[in-house]
Amino acid sequence: MTNKKERIRNMLQNEKGSGGLLLIVLFFFILIAIFSIPLFSMTVNRQSYDREIINEKRANAVAVGGMESFIKYLNSKPTGTSRQAYFNSYPGWGPKTILLPEGDKIIYNLTNSRSDDPNKYMVTMTATAGTNKTVTKSLKYIITVNDNSQIIDPTTNPTKIDKGTVYVGGSYLGNSPNPNSTIKQAIGNSIINLSNSINTQINTYASQAQPCMNYNDIINIINNSTNNPVIIEAGDLTLNGGNYNFVSPRGNQVVLIVKSLTANNDLSIKMDNGTLIVRNNINANNSFNFNSGLSSSQINNSNLWIQGSAVFNNNTNIYAGQTLYAGSITANNKATLSATSVAIRDALNLNNQLTLNASKDIECGSITANNQATINCSTGDLFVRDNLSANNQITLNTGGYIAVGGNITLKNNMNITTGGDVNSSTTGGGGGSGAPWNPTRQ
């Protein structure tokens, strides 16, 4: 009886030991399961994240590359081909599919639709990459499709003056050879396109601008902002002489928008690579300097854009690294206006000892020079929509052509030098391929 009880006791102890071991093993596997779930989830999420990044890069590369190829195609338009027909015949319109070796695919689609302007199209490139975690990238550009901006091939249609490098739509020095209204229309359309492009950019800046009240506010924002560019919009600004540096201490570009600008005394403004935008008018009653004394590298990206009129009364020096644009400019005494490109929507009046310099094109509504004026566009063309007139001592130097839609009237000591070898027979420098397409990112 005793032995039986001991055997029963031993059996129970063995069962208890086996059960404890089983519980330990079970607990161990539970721990593995608990920690394996997040590890597995982390692995899956990481793979999913990597796939999304890869698809994003693929979609972006195809969208950008596709749009660049389209714009390169536009810029290769041969002379004599209709811009509309050439635009329509691009082989890349519609959806296309790229199959990748690992089984993924990229679908891209280039489409176009009319914009509010009948001469322009909205072109959209959309690229979608991946079969899992797909990413879509879209780019939109406004493209100008307008044959009317083109100045006719100078070897055929316009009247040839001065060895075939000066063209006039009206009369030349009192003579009316073969009036040609097409030149005036073409230059006018080109100036409108340039104005619209700049005004669109101004509106874009204004929508992103930080408002301020006065000069001190402007300086505080420039000094403290980390944005690039720093975009500021103020109201009417009166600067009573002195030196004003609207320059970021971080080297960021500055875009300053003011309603109007009045300078009562000698005034110097430096913006380095910044842009000064005047919504209405500039009135400078004495010396006015913009980026005067800075090197060309310091002002490489600077602009001076005046949507209204500018009156500079004495000793004016303006240096815009990119574009000098205005509705009209009157410079009354001793002025030097310099930029890469100059666009004056209406009248440019140069009244005494004036120099206008552009390394590329100069486009104006009209030019009147009253005494000792020099106009240089070293590698570009001089285009005047209406009349070009000078009453005393004018010098015109161009690397390419001179084209005037109205009359050319030059009196007393004129000197004209043209290159005629720039191959820029169209406004905006199209290299013979027609008017500029003006692709503008939306």
Side-chain angles (χ1 to χ4, degrees):
M1 187 70 174
T2 301
N3 291 335
K4 187 175 181 180
K5 290 179 179 180
E6 289 178 356
R7 286 197 298 273
I8 293 172
R9 188 182 300 114
N10 290 335
M11 289 175 62
L12 291 173
Q13 289 175 348
N14 289 338
E15 288 295 329
K16 183 177 180 181
S18 299
L21 179 61
L22 180 62
L23 288 174
I24 292 173
V25 173
L26 181 61
F27 181 70
F28 176 74
F29 280 109
I30 290 173
L31 287 177
I32 292 176
I34 290 173
F35 286 103
S36 295
I37 290 173
L39 288 173
F40 177 76
S41 177
M42 289 171 63
T43 301
V44 171
N45 289 339
R46 179 64 188 180
Q47 291 175 346
S48 177
Y49 175 76
D50 289 344
R51 175 57 56 189
E52 188 171 355
I53 292 296
I54 291 172
N55 288 338
E56 182 177 6
K57 290 181 178 179
R58 287 173 172 172
N60 187 70
V62 170
V64 172
M67 188 61 77
E68 287 179 348
S69 296
F70 173 64
I71 293 174
K72 184 177 181 180
Y73 165 85
L74 293 180
N75 291 332
S76 300
K77 186 188 84 66
T79 301
T81 303
S82 165
R83 289 164 61 81
Q84 182 69 64
Y86 189 73
F87 177 87
N88 292 338
S89 64
Y90 181 61
W93 294 119
K96 304 286 188 299
T97 300
I98 302 173
L99 295 177
L100 302 177
E102 67 270 27
D104 278 350
K105 62 181 179 180
I106 302 174
I107 300 174
Y108 66 94
N109 191 15
L110 185 67
T111 61
N112 67 76
S113 60
R114 287 281 190 180
S115 67
D116 295 335
D117 186 334
N119 296 318
K120 297 181 180 181
Y121 282 84
M122 174 73 77
V123 175
T124 304
M125 166 62 79
T126 302
T128 301
T131 55
N132 184 26
K133 292 293 179 179
T134 59
V135 175
T136 298
K137 177 70 174 179
S138 292
L139 293 176
K140 293 185 177 182
Y141 277 79
I142 290 289
I143 304 292
T144 302
V145 183
N146 180 7
D147 284 303
N148 291 331
S149 294
Q150 184 178 2
I151 287 184
I152 304 88
D153 184 348
T155 62
T156 56
N157 303 66
T159 302
K160 294 184 179 181
I161 311 283
D162 289 353
K163 299 180 182 179
T165 56
V166 179
Y167 307 94
V168 59
S171 66
Y172 178 75
L173 304 182
N175 300 314
S176 301
N178 293 308
N180 190 321
S181 62
T182 315
I183 300 178
K184 181 173 183 176
Q185 180 184 18
I187 297 175
N189 286 337
S190 179
I191 292 175
I192 289 173
N193 288 337
L194 285 170
S195 297
N196 289 342
S197 178
I198 289 174
N199 290 332
T200 297
Q201 184 62 62
I202 291 174
N203 291 334
T204 300
Y205 281 141
S207 68
Q208 303 169 0
Q210 184 172 349
C212 62
M213 299 298 295
N214 51 44
Y215 170 74
N216 290 331
D217 286 347
I218 295 172
I219 297 302
N220 287 334
I221 293 173
I222 292 174
N223 288 338
N224 295 311
S225 177
T226 58
N227 295 335
N228 192 10
V230 182
I231 306 174
I232 308 163
E233 184 165 18
D236 297 317
L237 187 63
T238 299
L239 301 176
N240 293 313
N243 299 317
Y244 296 85
N245 296 332
F246 299 110
V247 179
S248 166
R250 298 172 178 81
N252 297 341
Q253 291 189 21
V254 175
V255 177
L256 174 59
I257 306 170
V258 298
K259 186 176 181 181
S260 66
L261 176 61
T262 301
N264 293 320
N265 298 302
D266 293 352
L267 177 66
S268 178
I269 294 176
K270 293 184 179 180
M271 297 202 64
D272 289 16
N273 287 319
T275 296
L276 175 60
I277 299 170
V278 181
R279 288 286 204 174
N280 293 320
N281 306 321
I282 286 183
N283 290 295
N285 296 318
N286 213 327
S287 173
F288 181 86
N289 295 286
F290 180 77
N291 285 339
S292 179
L294 297 179
S295 66
S296 58
S297 61
Q298 288 176 294
I299 63 171
N300 186 49
N301 294 315
S302 69
N303 297 284
L304 176 58
W305 294 342
I306 307 159
Q307 291 183 292
S309 63
V311 177
F312 303 111
N313 284 317
N314 192 40
N315 293 323
T316 302
N317 294 282
I318 294 174
Y319 298 92
Q322 289 297 317
T323 305
L324 169 60
Y325 167 78
S328 66
I329 289 181
T330 298
N332 287 321
N333 188 42
K334 296 181 180 179
T336 299
L337 314 177
S338 300
T340 297
S341 299
V342 175
I344 310 299
R345 188 178 63 246
D346 297 314
L348 174 63
N349 299 307
L350 309 174
N351 289 324
N352 186 41
Q353 299 182 40
L354 279 303
T355 300
L356 177 63
N357 297 315
S359 56
K360 294 184 179 178
D361 293 342
I362 297 175
E363 299 191 38
C364 298
S366 66
I367 296 179
T368 301
N370 287 319
N371 186 41
Q372 298 181 32
T374 300
I375 298 176
N376 302 308
C377 36
S378 56
T379 64
D381 306 306
L382 173 61
F383 294 113
V384 182
R385 180 192 61 220
D386 300 324
N387 299 323
L388 168 61
S389 62
N391 293 317
N392 187 38
Q393 298 182 27
I394 186 168
T395 298
L396 305 176
N397 299 313
T398 71
Y401 300 101
I402 296 175
V404 178
N407 304 322
I408 297 179
T409 305
L410 307 177
K411 301 177 182 178
N412 193 15
N413 296 327
M414 62 179 179
N415 182 19
I416 301 176
T417 303
T418 61
D421 57 354
V422 177
N423 194 28
S424 180
S425 60
T426 60
T427 55
S433 64
W437 297 92
N438 290 330
T440 304
R441 177 77 179 269
Q442 301 300 297

